[in-house]
Structures are given as structure tokens and as C-alpha cells.
Amino acid sequence: MRTGAIPFQFDLTDLLAKARRQFAGRVGDVTLNLPFVSVAVSPKDREKQIAREIVIRLRDRRVLSAWECCDDCIDNALASLREIRQTLVEKQVELPDAQDGPLYLLIDAMLVGIRQFMTYEELLRRSPDARPHPRFDKYRLPEHRQGYFDGLELLRGHLSRCLGQIAAIAGMEVPADGLIANYQGPWEEQAYLPSSPVDPPT
């Protein structure tokens, strides 16, 4: 069930600072829009190719558009997210000469989101209030289950908008404000820790 709750905030502080350092003030072929910052980039042909592969592989993954209703759905979603994480890591490995490029940065944004969701999920699982339903050892209590639902909804919005930006790098004619239906639109800034417009002094 969707409630619109924001159970945790993504921390992209380091990633956004990196984007500003590497791309701010440049003139590029593609404008990438991230939470709190927009940058112009000129992706290489290899980045465009891999970006297209990522979009094709992930756009129809059910976990990115599903609405969970039970514990089995949650378990399936977690397993699918681990598979997506593996795919993204494999694509980063294919970019050894473009680790400072825009595609690597966007993949990092997706991986950071998944990792932070998994941390939230682990906290839910270890919470003293996360005991199983008293009648069924393996089932979650309703309020605990809702935490998963809300966290997954938040993550889907993040991944959808990241994929929209990856599609822009690929030059694909798809919505840049989110690749997945029902998860399109501007970045939900309250879902992210505030980011300073300038890097802190070193």
C-alpha cells in the first residue's frame, strides 16, 4: 500500500559534490538533472552504448514497477534488487577508462540508493519491534511490512529518475524525468539529505 511516507533520506552528498567538481561550468551535449544540481556532459560512445544496455535490461524489471502486497512480494523484491545491483556493478566494470564520466556517476547514484535502502531494510529487520507475527513465525507484523512498502516506493522513484538520466546519455527517446511509469516527475527533494551548493573547505 502506498502512503507517500518518506521513511529515510538518501545521502548523495559526496556524489553530488563530485558531480559539481567534475562537470559544473562545462558545455556539453546532454544536461543531466540530479537532486539539487544540473550539469552538462558529453558522454563517450562507449558510455552511450552501455547506457542503452542498462536501460534495455532494467526497464522491464518487475520490481521497479510492482506494488507489493505481502511478505512473499517483499522477499521477491529484495532478491530482484540484489540482481539489479549485480548488473550495475558489472556495467561499471565495463567502464575502466570512464570512471570519471557521467554514466559511472549515475550508476553510482543507483548503487548508493540500493545500498542505503538495504541498510534501512536491515535496521527494520533488526528492530526489537520487528518480531514475526505471533501466529506465523515467518511473517512480518503489518506495521513492519508497511515500512518495507514505503522504503521500496522511495527507492523506485530514485531508480526511475536515475534511469531517465541514463536514457538521456544513451540518446534514447524516453522520459528523462523517470523511466518507469508511475515514478516519473521531478526529483522528490525531501527524499534526499540537503546538499550544499559548494564543496566544504578541505
Side-chain angles (χ1 to χ4, degrees), residues 97-131:
D97 299 325
Q99 294 186 15
D100 292 330
L103 179 59
Y104 200 97
L105 183 84
L106 286 169
I107 296 174
D108 250 357
M110 295 182 73
L111 289 170
V112 166
I114 293 173
R115 185 163 57 249
Q116 291 178 2
F117 168 79
M118 291 298 186
T119 298
Y120 165 73
E121 185 271 335
E122 185 175 330
L123 291 173
L124 274 180
R125 187 161 24 92
R126 293 184 177 182
S127 167
D129 298 328
R131 62 195 185 284

Side-chain angles (χ1 to χ4, degrees), residues 124-169:
L124 274 180
R125 187 161 24 92
R126 293 184 177 182
S127 167
D129 298 328
R131 62 195 185 284
H133 191 286
R135 291 181 57 199
F136 307 100
D137 288 344
K138 71 175 184 176
Y139 293 115
R140 302 169 177 93
L141 291 173
E143 59 271 22
H144 185 217
R145 191 179 301 124
Q146 188 62 53
Y148 281 88
F149 294 162
D150 292 336
L152 284 165
E153 287 295 290
L154 196 68
L155 180 62
R156 285 192 184 100
H158 174 74
L159 296 179
S160 175
R161 293 176 183 98
C162 286
L163 282 171
Q165 300 305 298
I166 289 176
I169 285 179

